[in-house]
Amino acid sequence: GGKTVYEIFSLNDMSCYYDFEKSPGATPLDIKGKYDFLGNESIVSKLLEFQEHKTAIVSLSIPHIHCSSCIWILENIHKLQTGISTSQVNFPEKKVRITYNHEVTSLKKIVHLLSSIGYEPYISLENYETGKNNVDRSLTYKLGLAFFCFGNIMLLSFPEYFEVKEFWLDTYKPFFRWLIFVLSLPSFLYSASGYYVSAYKSIKSGMLNIDIPIALGIIIFFIRSTFDIVMDYGSGFFDSLTGLIFFMLLGKMFQIKTYSFLSFERDFKSYFPIAITKINTDFSEESVPIYDIEKGNRLLIRNQELIPVDGILISDKAEIDYSFVTGEAIPITKKSGDKVFAGGKQIGKVIEMEVLHSVSQSYLT
């Protein structure tokens, strides 16, 4: 495997890859037939982030990214495969985002290339809905609006801080105070709305959380400041109110960013394959999405592949690892006619099985 990688890099004048780190990448493994499902356009379309005209963009998880050599070779992969225009590595998340011309090359060829140089992507059922995922930007909008309100209110409050005796400022002081009040409304009503909703749900469920005193403090701030303006006691505390909302949202933004880097939680979709090999009546092999599996289908399970559905073993013998289900890592020996359960991992030779029932999203859940 290492010799193959070296030859690929040498032919493309990229042998300086080894100058960055002593042990980059990983030894390429045998992947024959493993990614045949990437020839199915309906599956590929689910994996792509973007596809328009000749341009397609895909993000692939590369577990073997760990050093500067990895970043260098993955961001120069366009030199190894025509059709790839750019590639960008996200080192903390161990992902590479590749832009390519799908008329010149294909996702299957790209995955085979990455695997051949020791950077095999990890593609699972979790990636199947990638193209449909919507990014929630509500916190970003709330933060931006809170910053706008806070900044302008601070500027308009400066004369109140210094008590400057100036005719024009004294004459229009009520106008500026009501302008500050109007500017505080978007921050109070929209930017801080998450705290009100959380506090309401917390009270309704009978369990107190930290958002209750925060929401209470924001509301009291607003009522007291509005009272001061109405009674002409002063400009109130709208600057402090909008500043409080802005900095709390800023802290929440940093918290979410930090947790996203430190998150190790994975659900069942992270382990199940996107597609499986089905054996047709004419004994030809076809890669189909796991949700298309029906009762009576014959499936081909390769080494280290997860069994997606309960079935009956057709092959003479099989070694099944059920650690995903039971936590026990010792493989269980099955013989022809035995029942095999979803979640087991096939170890060793290729086996055949017959599906006992159809697969659905509710079943997998």
Side-chain angles (χ1 to χ4, degrees):
K3 180 175 180 290
T4 303
V5 173
Y6 177 76
E7 289 174 351
I8 293 173
F9 291 160
S10 297
L11 289 172
N12 292 274
D13 194 26
M14 300 175 71
S15 56
C16 58
Y17 165 78
Y18 298 98
D19 296 336
F20 293 95
E21 296 288 339
K22 293 182 179 180
S23 57
T27 303
L29 302 174
D30 182 17
I31 59 167
K32 184 179 179 181
K34 183 175 181 179
Y35 294 105
D36 286 350
F37 65 87
L38 293 177
N40 188 323
E41 290 298 326
S42 62
I43 295 177
V44 172
S45 64
K46 299 282 187 177
L47 298 174
L48 296 178
E49 291 183 1
F50 175 85
Q51 185 175 14
E52 188 70 32
H53 299 300
K54 298 180 181 181
T55 304
I57 301 175
V58 64
S59 289
L60 297 172
S61 176
I62 313 289
H64 293 300
I65 296 177
H66 68 281
C67 66
S68 55
S69 292
C70 304
I71 298 174
W72 181 82
I73 188 59
L74 290 173
E75 292 194 342
N76 285 277
I77 199 171
H78 60 276
K79 298 180 181 178
L80 300 177
Q81 179 72 53
T82 55
I84 298 177
S85 54
T86 61
S87 56
Q88 185 175 9
V89 174
N90 185 331
F91 186 78
E93 296 184 9
K94 295 185 182 294
K95 288 184 178 180
V96 59
R97 191 169 188 262
I98 299 174
T99 303
Y100 66 96
N101 185 334
H102 62 82
E103 293 184 357
V104 177
T105 187
S106 65
L107 181 58
K108 183 178 178 180
K109 290 181 180 178
I110 293 173
V111 170
H112 281 168
L113 172 63
L114 291 170
S115 301
S116 69
I117 61 175
Y119 293 97
E120 183 180 353
Y122 183 79
I123 303 175
S124 65
L125 187 62
E126 187 180 31
N127 308 113
Y128 192 67
E129 300 295 332
T130 298
K132 294 185 177 180
N133 285 349
N134 296 318
V135 179
D136 185 8
R137 302 188 185 278
S138 59
L139 180 59
T140 305
Y141 299 146
K142 290 178 180 179
L143 182 64
L145 185 60
F147 176 71
F148 172 80
C149 297
F150 170 56
N152 282 278
I153 289 174
M154 286 291 291
L155 289 174
L156 293 172
S157 299
F158 269 118
E160 299 280 354
Y161 298 155
F162 300 110
E163 296 184 356
V164 178
K165 297 297 180 181
E166 201 273 333
F167 174 77
W168 191 85
L169 291 176
D170 290 340
T171 302
Y172 292 98
K173 187 175 289 186
F175 168 77
F176 284 112
R177 287 177 177 176
W178 282 108
L179 181 60
I180 289 173
F181 170 80
V182 172
L183 282 171
S184 71
L185 290 176
S187 181
F188 174 72
L189 297 175
Y190 176 67
S191 297
S193 60
Y195 295 104
Y196 310 143
V197 173
S198 177
Y200 171 75
K201 289 181 178 179
S202 176
I203 295 172
K204 189 176 180 180
S205 63
M207 297 181 65
L208 302 182
N209 65 13
I210 189 63
D211 289 336
I212 294 176
I214 292 175
L216 185 62
I218 292 173
I219 293 171
I220 292 174
F221 249 131
F222 182 79
I223 294 174
R224 170 58 196 271
S225 300
T226 303
F227 179 77
D228 284 352
I229 289 179
V230 171
M231 302 304 295
D232 199 25
Y233 290 159
S235 60
F237 307 96
F238 287 114
D239 50 347
S240 300
L241 169 64
T242 52
L244 174 67
I245 295 171
F246 168 69
F247 286 113
M248 283 195 303
L249 292 176
L250 186 64
K252 182 182 287 188
M253 176 72 79
F254 279 115
Q255 183 185 44
I256 292 173
K257 293 290 185 183
T258 303
Y259 284 173
S260 67
F261 288 135
L262 298 179
S263 177
F264 295 96
E265 294 181 1
R266 302 172 73 183
D267 62 10
F268 74 96
K269 291 184 179 180
S270 301
Y271 298 93
F272 273 83
I274 293 176
I276 200 75
T277 303
K278 185 178 76 170
I279 302 175
N280 296 318
T281 53
D282 59 355
F283 298 102
S284 62
E285 296 179 6
E286 178 189 5
S287 292
V288 296
I290 62 171
Y291 292 132
D292 293 344
I293 296 174
E294 298 178 353
K295 181 180 179 180
N297 288 161
R298 292 183 66 178
L299 304 181
L300 193 71
I301 310 296
R302 295 184 174 87
N303 181 35
Q304 298 299 314
E305 284 188 349
L306 212 65
I307 299 171
V309 64
D310 299 343
I312 300 296
L313 182 65
I314 298 175
S315 300
D316 296 336
K317 187 180 179 182
E319 296 286 332
I320 310 295
D321 176 7
Y322 283 111
S323 57
F324 176 77
V325 180
T326 64
E328 179 56 59
I330 300 175
I332 297 175
T333 302
K334 295 284 185 178
K335 62 181 184 296
S336 182
D338 287 349
K339 186 176 181 179
V340 290
F341 298 94
K345 182 184 289 185
Q346 160 60 15
I347 299 176
K349 65 179 182 179
V350 177
I351 64 170
E352 293 183 19
M353 59 170 284
E354 181 179 336
V355 178
L356 286 178
H357 45 73
S358 61
V359 175
S360 65
Q361 294 192 22
S362 59
Y363 163 76
L364 286 177
T365 305

